[in-house]
Structure formats: structure tokens, C-alpha cells
Amino acid sequence: MDWMTDSEEDERFEWDTSDEEEEMSKGNNQEGSSAPPISVSVPSQEFVEAGSSRSSLLLHFVGMGFSEDTVAKAIKDNGEGQPEVILETLLTYAAIEKSSLNSEQSPLDCSLEGEEDVLEDDDSDMSNFEDEGCTEKSSDKDMKLSMLVEMGFPLDEASSAIDRCGSTASVLELADSIHAAQLAAESVDIEGRNTSAPPRSSFINGSSIKKKRNLLENQRLNRPVHGHKIKKLCSRQSEVNDEGFSSLLKIPMPMIGFSVPNQKTQLAHRKLPEAAIGPPYFYYENVALTPKGVWDTMSRFLYDIEPEFVDSKYFCAANRKRGYIHNLPIQNRFPLLPLQPRTIKEALPMTEKWWPAWDPRTQLNCLQTSISSAKNTERIRSTLVKSGDPPPERVRQYVINECKKWNLVWVGLHKVAPLEPDEIEMLLGFPKNHTRGGGISRTDRYKSLGNSFQVDTVAYHLSVLKNMFPNGINVLSLFSGIGGAEVALHRLGIHLKNVVSVELSEINRNIIRAWWEQTDQTGNLIELPDVQQLNGDKLAQMINSFGGFDLVIGGSPCNNLAGSNRLSRIGLEGKQSSLFYDYFRILDLVKNIMGKNI
């Protein structure tokens, strides 16, 4: 991988870890390809002369990512008092545009076989229906069918809804009809989970029809997309699954898992499958917002345990949406003390002096493996200098979007800068200089930190182990990274008797070893380079040596799962993310070997 520093002229960046939701809010254009901001900061004469109501409406849809000319045309065609109709018109324009852009791509298969993948990866062109003999020309029905499929609805159910409601029904009315039919057909137990293998209709979880109608507007309002291309937006929204589209497991909002500190939640209870009950205890982590079906697959392999989805914004000043599958007790948890600051200005007080009143951010987005270039921060500075104080709304929105995208903070008048590695260490709960020195470059520090645990979040879940293992713990740490699990256990005051750390990166192994020595650990650190080479014989030898593992912990690579990875986001079939199956393989071996030794 080519990891670029902020001093390099080429503004290409590696995106291999982040939360999909944040990435969607940051836009699809990489900074190097974006037009100079000042060129879009001056509104057109038509926009200036419009009334306040029309100006607000136009700005609202432009902020979603539609072009100003397209929005103006939609408002003119439909009037200002029908924002829902305007939105549907804009989506239709976009779908037509996409059809023309993708006219050379492979046609959509008209059969129901394989329909779940329609428009998910190849953005199939509905106009190519005529090549398949389904219809003699692209029609309004075809367009609506395409949009419904992109929203995550199965092709057969979308077609039935159009037949049921008529081709003149709006897309949102058709979505309501499909959802109502699914609710009527879906059979669930009292905990809201299917009692048998899920039918096709359960690909869309139960949520209110009102939410369905507002899906596109609300999602777009919260996650604007720069430019007027909306390629794969609906299918991405179905993967995000805030509104229950196209996923068996619904990610809760807010993401607080079974509990988080200082939040009032109902007392949580869960019953683990017999095969999952420890010891050994296990704890698996990955990005929350994955392609559809990924968490269902991981849950099935990990003994049908329901994931616990948590956003680390409840533990620090940065968002980090993650899912955790584990068999740990969920009662009597406690947080690390002192509690971390929960806002940017509290965590980074030196920024407060320069923070403009028009920047409303209180928390950072997901901390990434890459940073903004010096050229980008200088472009922001020069734009603000030319724009006056306070800057026009367009300039403000541009600057805020860039700040969110790259987690830029204010360091002077009109000056923003990326976070320093030691600031990221603090936000993620690592000790100061944890990744510094020992020949580790600044770029490698960003990469290692971007792929790590948020220590406070993980420690909160692991805190139940302290009273269970007063004499210390034996840990099998898979995909150890920079030792987030080890740091969390150490900060909880749990003695690390034996730690088998399996980590491919030599840089990360050096970081863990240095931390182990600097914290005067008295236990044994056993380092292995590759999970794929860890077999039953090696595990049996270690288990016989020190009596077994108390905890198997790790998070396999998210390269093919994270929403920021637009090139190879192919789920668990990807080269890196398929290593999840090695986590399960090793865990199952440990359970079997330890079971025989009882």
C-alpha cells in the first residue's frame, strides 16, 4: 500500500479503515479531485434573486449533493410547497443520468435468480432491459423498479408493488406498500428475531412506514453527497440500515450496546447459546457498518451470538462505530477512570481560542489511517482569507465539510490542521508516545492508530474480567495491531500472565514489545506473525504449557468491509476480511482442545 504523507504533492490517499456512516457524510470526491472551493462559493444570480423560502429549499437540496441547476429545474416544475415531490424528481433525474452514464455496462438480469445482487455492485442499467427482451423500451415503470431495487427491495417484491399500486404511484408510496406487505408476512418471536431461517421479506427489518417515507430525505440530509452523482446511494443506505433496509440484523440507534457509562438504559439481559458459554471467553470486533449480511454471517459462525453495536463517542471525543460479538457477562461493567473528555474543545483545549462560532462540531468523526495534505489546508486558509469574516454560507459549508472529512481542528486564524499522532493516541486511549520512536515513521503511526481499538470502549466491556481473574489472565490476542486489548487489560489492573500476540505487521509487533517492556510486565509475551499459520498442534502445545486461554480477543481486518473502501468493499470474500474465518477457526480449536483437557 502507498501511504502518503501530508508533504507529498500527489493527493492520493489510502482509505482502508473508517465508519461507513462518516464516509457517506464526507462525500464521494477525494480532495485531490475536488474543484477549488472558491469557484462554488458564489451563488448564481437566480439564487440571489429568489425569495427566502425558495433560497432555503434550493440550498437544502444543493447541500444534499444535487447540482444547483437540477434543483432549480425541479423546484420550477413542482413548485416550492412540495419538497417530497421535488426530492423524487431529483432522484428520477439522477437515475436517468446514471442510465446514460452506464449504458455500456452489463444489463440487469430479468430473472429472479440472483436478484439480491442486482445493482449492488455493478450499477446495472435499467435501459438495458430491452437487450434482455423484458420490454421494448425503458419506461417509467422500469425507472421506478430500478430505484426500488437500489433502495434494497427484492426485485420480485418491487415488481409486485408496481402491479398492485399502479405505475403512477410514487416511489415512496411503492416503498410503503412493500413494507406493509412484509410486515404482514413476517413472523417474529417476542424478542423480534425470526424463529426460523429468515424469509426473503425479512431482508427489510420492521420499522415505521413513516420512517420508510422519510428514508431518502433524512439520510441525505444527515449524509450529504458532494456532486450530483448518486451512484449506489440507495444500496449503501440499505447497508447502513439505520432505517431497517435490506439487513437481517438491525443496527440500533443510538449505538450504545447493552450499556455505556452515564447513559440511562434499560437493564439488559441475554441468553447465550450453550456452545458459546465460556470459558474461554472471546471478544471479536469489526466495523459496524458493513455490506449487508456480513454481521449475520459472523454471528452465525460465532455461535449465533447477537452483536453489540457501540459508538465510541460515548467514551471519547471521536466517533468510532463498531460491532462486538462476545460471550462476556454484561452486568457490573465499569469504565476506566478518569473518564475521557467527550468534546473536541475539552480534549484539545488549545483549539478553543481559534474555533469559529459557525463551526458547530463538538466531536470528531472516525479517526482514519490517513490525513489531509498541506495543500488542502492551505487551500482552506486562502479561501477563508478571501471570503471575509464571517465567510458566506457556501464557503462555510465547504470548510465544515472538509473539516469533517479529514478531522481538521482550528490552530490559528483561518488555519486548520490534521490531528497529530499523539493527539490520536490520547483520543483512542493509548499512553502518550505509544507509537512514537523505534524507527516508526509518522505515516506508519497514522496507519497503525487508524486500525486500532478504542481502548476505553473495549476496557468497559472487558472490565467484568477483573473480579473473575484476580490472579491474572492468559490471553490469545489475534490481529493484535498495536496492542489495544493488552493496554485495556493493563489499564483495568488485570495482570497479564501469558499473552500470545499474533500480528502480521512487524512495525506493530515492535510497538507492542516496546510497550510491554516500558510497563514492566512480569508475564510472558509470545509473539507470532500470522494467524493462518497458527494450527491445532501449536495451540495444544501452548494450552498444555500454561493451562489454557481465559480470553481469545481480536478484530480481523476491515479492508473489504469499511464504507471508505470503494474499490474492494466485497465483504467477507475479500482477501483481508476473509481472515475472520481464521478467528473462528482458531477460537473453535481452542474450545475443542480445552474441552478435551477438562
Side-chain angles (χ1 to χ4, degrees):
M1 296 182 181
D2 295 324
W3 294 97
M4 315 301 292
T5 66
D6 63 351
S7 62
E8 295 181 78
E9 291 296 316
D10 188 354
E11 293 187 77
R12 292 176 293 113
F13 296 93
E14 191 70 33
W15 295 77
D16 73 349
T17 180
S18 73
D19 285 337
E20 179 174 4
E21 186 170 358
E22 277 78 37
E23 288 310 312
M24 290 167 65
S25 72
K26 295 170 191 171
N28 288 337
N29 291 335
Q30 300 245 357
E31 79 170 275
S33 61
S34 60
I38 198 66
S39 67
V40 298
S41 63
V42 180
S44 67
Q45 186 65 29
E46 180 184 3
F47 178 75
V48 172
E49 293 175 354
S52 60
S53 174
R54 184 170 184 271
S55 299
S56 175
L57 193 62
L58 189 146
L59 188 61
H60 170 73
F61 287 113
V62 168
M64 293 182 184
F66 296 107
S67 69
E68 184 177 318
D69 292 341
T70 304
V71 175
K73 183 177 184 301
I75 293 176
K76 181 179 178 180
D77 292 344
N78 298 285
E80 300 174 27
Q82 302 185 75
E84 188 177 90
V85 177
I86 293 171
L87 177 61
E88 187 173 344
T89 301
L90 291 170
L91 288 172
T92 302
Y93 291 161
I96 294 171
E97 177 186 348
K98 186 181 70 175
S99 293
S100 62
L101 288 174
N102 294 328
S103 60
E104 296 182 2
Q105 302 216 6
S106 59
L108 178 68
D109 189 353
C110 299
S111 68
L112 297 182
E113 183 178 0
E115 68 193 68
E116 294 171 17
D117 295 326
V118 170
L119 290 175
E120 182 172 325
D121 295 319
D122 61 358
D123 297 310
S124 301
D125 182 1
M126 289 301 298
S127 66
N128 285 331
F129 259 65
E130 69 178 334
D131 295 334
E132 296 293 327
C134 293
T135 184
E136 295 185 358
K137 64 179 182 178
S138 180
S139 64
D140 183 55
K141 177 180 178 180
D142 294 337
M143 190 66 65
K144 291 177 179 178
L145 188 65
S146 175
M147 293 170 68
L148 288 167
V149 171
E150 287 189 77
M151 290 169 67
F153 293 107
L155 180 61
D156 57 342
E157 295 185 19
S159 179
S160 297
I162 295 176
D163 293 339
R164 203 164 47 239
C165 301
S167 59
T168 59
S170 71
V171 172
L172 296 177
E173 289 172 338
L174 293 169
D176 284 352
S177 176
I178 297 172
H179 180 235
Q182 289 171 338
L183 288 180
E186 203 167 49
S187 175
V188 296
D189 61 18
I190 60 171
E191 294 192 344
R193 298 195 54 144
N194 289 342
T195 56
S196 59
R200 181 174 298 278
S201 63
S202 68
F203 270 59
I204 299 178
N205 283 315
S207 62
S208 69
I209 292 180
K210 181 179 180 181
K211 284 186 176 182
K212 293 291 184 183
R213 293 188 61 83
N214 293 332
L215 170 69
L216 296 176
E217 182 173 359
N218 289 344
Q219 293 282 13
R220 284 179 169 276
L221 180 61
N222 293 331
R223 304 178 183 87
V225 178
H226 294 277
H228 55 279
K229 295 181 181 180
I230 59 167
K231 179 181 179 181
K232 295 179 73 174
L233 176 65
C234 293
S235 60
R236 286 172 64 100
Q237 286 170 335
S238 70
E239 291 166 6
V240 169
N241 146 36
D242 289 350
E243 300 297 337
F245 270 69
S246 294
S247 177
L248 302 176
L249 281 172
K250 182 177 180 181
I251 296 178
M253 287 295 180
M255 283 191 196
I256 59 174
F258 295 117
S259 65
V260 293
N262 301 324
Q263 292 284 322
K264 292 183 178 180
T265 57
Q266 291 183 340
L267 189 61
H269 296 277
R270 68 170 180 168
K271 184 177 181 180
L272 293 174
E274 184 176 352
I277 298 174
Y281 291 101
F282 63 88
Y283 186 88
Y284 175 81
E285 180 259 15
N286 216 311
V287 293
L289 304 172
T290 64
K292 69 179 182 182
V294 167
W295 276 107
D296 300 280
T297 299
M298 294 191 295
S299 175
R300 285 198 304 272
F301 272 83
L302 295 177
Y303 312 104
D304 290 316
I305 296 178
E306 184 178 357
E308 179 175 9
F309 294 105
V310 182
D311 190 335
S312 289
K313 70 179 183 179
Y314 298 103
F315 295 85
C316 67
N319 291 272
R320 204 171 188 79
K321 295 175 174 61
R322 296 292 184 263
Y324 306 89
I325 300 179
H326 62 85
N327 64 345
L328 295 167
I330 60 175
Q331 310 298 334
N332 302 318
R333 294 169 165 178
F334 60 88
L336 290 174
L337 297 176
L339 296 175
Q340 271 219 46
R342 292 263 301 278
T343 67
I344 300 172
K345 293 176 184 177
E346 290 173 349
L348 304 169
M350 65 285 190
T351 66
E352 185 170 8
K353 176 181 178 181
W354 305 109
W355 206 276
W358 48 266
D359 185 344
R361 290 178 298 150
T362 59
Q363 288 191 308
L364 297 162
N365 282 332
C366 183
L367 303 174
Q368 305 172 43
T369 57
S370 56
I371 62 170
S372 175
S373 71
K375 288 175 65 176
N376 188 42
T377 55
E378 171 56 23
R379 189 157 55 228
I380 293 171
R381 188 199 67 80
S382 62
T383 299
L384 288 172
V385 169
K386 295 175 185 177
S387 300
D389 193 16
E393 175 63 26
R394 286 287 185 85
V395 173
R396 276 184 273 174
Q397 192 60 52
Y398 158 74
V399 172
I400 291 172
N401 286 342
E402 288 298 300
C403 288
K404 288 180 177 180
K405 177 178 181 179
W406 297 107
N407 279 322
L408 303 177
V409 294
W410 296 91
V411 296
L413 181 62
H414 301 144
K415 289 175 62 178
V416 291
L419 296 167
E420 293 295 323
D422 59 333
E423 293 171 328
I424 298 178
E425 286 174 345
M426 178 268 295
L427 289 165
L428 292 176
F430 289 94
K432 187 175 182 179
N433 296 324
H434 183 71
T435 59
R436 187 178 185 183
I440 301 169
S441 70
R442 190 165 180 261
T443 301
D444 284 332
R445 294 181 71 188
Y446 283 116
K447 179 179 178 181
S448 295
L449 287 162
N451 287 318
S452 70
F453 284 159
Q454 203 290 322
V455 172
D456 300 79
T457 308
V458 172
Y460 182 68
H461 297 157
L462 299 182
S463 62
V464 296
L465 298 172
K466 184 169 184 179
N467 291 332
M468 299 171 65
F469 298 96
N471 298 320
I473 191 170
N474 293 326
V475 180
L476 175 55
S477 178
L478 304 175
F479 316 101
S480 295
I482 57 175
E486 292 85 341
V487 172
L489 291 165
H490 174 69
R491 289 188 60 191
L492 286 166
I494 300 175
H495 173 51
L496 299 172
K497 295 193 298 183
N498 295 282
V499 173
V500 177
S501 174
V502 189
E503 169 57 39
L504 189 62
S505 167
E506 183 178 359
I507 290 172
N508 289 345
R509 293 200 304 271
N510 291 340
I511 292 172
I512 296 175
R513 191 183 313 112
W515 171 82
W516 188 272
E517 295 168 353
Q518 290 163 10
T519 52
D520 297 322
Q521 299 293 327
T522 59
N524 300 311
L525 175 64
I526 302 169
E527 297 178 276
L528 299 174
D530 192 350
V531 294
Q532 292 183 304
Q533 297 177 9
L534 185 54
N535 56 34
D537 291 340
K538 292 181 180 178
L539 288 167
Q541 183 179 358
M542 290 184 288
I543 288 172
N544 292 331
S545 174
F546 45 76
F549 293 104
D550 304 307
L551 175 67
V552 180
I553 190 168
S556 55
C558 66
N559 301 58
N560 310 118
L561 304 180
S564 57
N565 190 341
R566 288 176 284 276
L567 297 178
S568 59
R569 189 170 183 260
I570 57 177
L572 294 176
E573 291 73 31
K575 180 179 179 180
Q576 289 83 20
S577 295
S578 63
L579 291 171
F580 158 76
Y581 297 108
D582 282 286
Y583 178 90
F584 166 72
R585 173 183 64 83
I586 294 169
L587 172 62
D588 203 49
L589 281 171
V590 170
K591 289 174 68 68
N592 288 332
I593 295 170
M594 290 180 60
K596 292 177 182 178
N597 292 343
I598 294 177

